[in-house]
Amino acid sequence: MTELSVSVVVATQAQVWKAALCLPAGSCVRDALLQAGIAQGLRECGLPPLDEASGLEGLKVGVYGQRCQLDQVLRDQDRVEIYRELVFDPMDSRRRRYAHKLAARAAARPRRKPVRA
């Protein structure tokens, strides 16, 4: 196989930016990001631009949900993903939802009048 078909994806809650690429065999994640024009994808999704000092090194990337380094060699049909910072900690969000659910159940429960003898 001489060419790889790879996609690069940047996603936010509001939109998704995707670039479909054909790369030579042996290409790495860094090659895909550079050819895709990742700076434009970040700008279109409203994310902060690349840092001048660190460049691509400052990005958190992965292939199909698995974090990886920029020098990881790609395979045919791989999807390179750019990860953004989390707004909330997932565990804290789960705890808040559970507390809210308990409070709603308690509020919906009818109160009984005490029986006096």
Side-chain angles (χ1 to χ4, degrees):
M1 181 179 292
T2 58
E3 279 197 345
L4 306 174
S5 180
V6 176
S7 60
V8 177
V9 178
V10 179
T12 63
Q13 288 181 333
Q15 67 186 69
V16 175
W17 180 85
K18 185 175 180 180
L21 308 171
C22 286
L23 299 171
S27 296
C28 64
V29 172
R30 182 187 319 275
D31 300 330
L33 295 175
L34 291 173
Q35 185 170 339
I38 198 60
Q40 176 189 355
L42 294 172
R43 187 172 41 253
E44 286 182 18
C45 286
L47 296 174
L50 292 174
D51 183 20
E52 293 292 326
S54 61
L56 293 178
E57 302 298 327
L59 292 177
K60 293 180 179 146
V61 297
V63 176
Y64 281 116
Q66 299 294 315
R67 287 278 310 263
C68 69
Q69 301 298 318
L70 292 172
D71 57 356
Q72 178 174 323
V73 177
L74 295 170
R75 297 183 298 186
D76 194 36
Q77 302 299 314
D78 273 351
R79 181 182 67 218
V80 178
E81 303 161 338
I82 309 301
Y83 303 125
R84 55 191 165 88
E85 294 295 322
L86 294 175
V87 177
F88 295 105
D89 177 35
M91 289 302 293
D92 286 340
S93 295
R94 286 187 195 106
R95 287 185 193 105
R96 281 194 305 271
R97 283 194 306 269
Y98 183 70
H100 181 70
K101 188 183 213 180
L102 288 179
R105 282 184 187 167
R109 204 175 302 145
R111 295 185 179 248
R112 295 184 184 177
K113 293 182 181 180
V115 178
R116 295 185 187 190

